[in-house]
Amino acid sequence: VAYLDAAQAINLYHVREVLEALAARLAATVAPKGAWDDLLKRFSPAIEAKLRKGEYTEYEALLGDLNRRIIKHSNNPILTDMLDRIRDRTQVMARRVVVLQGRAELGFDLHRKLTKALAAGDAETAAAVKSKIIATARDSIDRYRDFIF
């Protein structure tokens, strides 16, 4: 994990936004029926309640599982390699972003919408929501840059 300054983080999030939207689009198109059902169930009121209490461990595990599943079902080794490299550089930043004011609640809602779109095979909505997830995270990094860096 390398140190990032604010400009590098924002630039990486611009690239990440496009690549993760592509991965979501591909995954929605090719994943078998039922591939997302277990994840949909995990986006529960119990996790929402934990987020309100500042407990992020279960939520982070859910997001990790969702992202790994998207990558798997995107079935694109080049895309996987590129996203792995970006994640290696942004994983600490992602953990910082989730605790910013209002971010966990917004992220939870957007990730639930993403998972519903994936389960419905709605590639365009999945891509749009995934793009919004990353764009709003990038906006939070920019807004709170003095706090984060």
Side-chain angles (χ1 to χ4, degrees):
V1 178
Y3 172 78
L4 296 175
D5 64 27
Q8 290 170 320
I10 289 168
N11 285 334
L12 275 170
Y13 270 72
H14 277 289
V15 174
R16 186 176 166 196
E17 177 184 351
V18 174
L19 295 178
E20 289 204 21
L22 173 60
R25 176 180 287 111
L26 293 171
T29 304
V30 302
K33 184 168 177 50
W36 312 101
D37 293 351
D38 63 312
L39 294 172
L40 277 172
K41 290 176 187 170
R42 289 173 59 192
F43 280 98
S44 67
I47 291 185
E48 280 184 291
K50 288 179 181 180
L51 289 175
R52 284 192 292 276
K53 293 178 186 176
E55 298 171 18
Y56 301 103
T57 305
E58 194 173 341
Y59 177 59
E60 287 180 324
L62 173 55
L63 295 186
D65 292 345
L66 174 59
N67 285 324
R68 280 187 293 279
R69 187 98 38 105
I70 289 170
I71 294 296
K72 173 186 169 189
H73 289 302
S74 72
N75 197 29
N76 186 316
I78 295 169
L79 179 59
T80 298
D81 180 60
M82 294 174 85
L83 284 171
D84 284 347
R85 290 171 188 235
I86 290 172
R87 276 213 180 83
D88 285 347
R89 297 196 64 201
T90 61
Q91 65 184 349
V92 171
M93 182 64 49
R95 293 195 80 192
R96 290 178 184 170
V97 169
V98 79
V99 300
L100 295 174
Q101 181 180 9
R103 181 66 202 166
E105 294 82 3
L106 174 62
F108 182 88
D109 182 55
L110 290 172
H111 281 95
R112 181 172 38 203
K113 287 178 182 174
L114 168 63
T115 307
K116 286 179 180 179
L118 290 164
D122 185 347
E124 292 310 311
T125 299
V129 174
K130 190 60 167 168
S131 178
K132 186 172 183 177
I133 289 167
I134 304 303
T136 57
R138 183 185 62 242
D139 292 345
S140 292
I141 291 167
D142 193 30
R143 179 178 180 194
Y144 294 105
R145 71 172 54 216
D146 291 340
F147 173 75
I148 296 172
F149 296 96

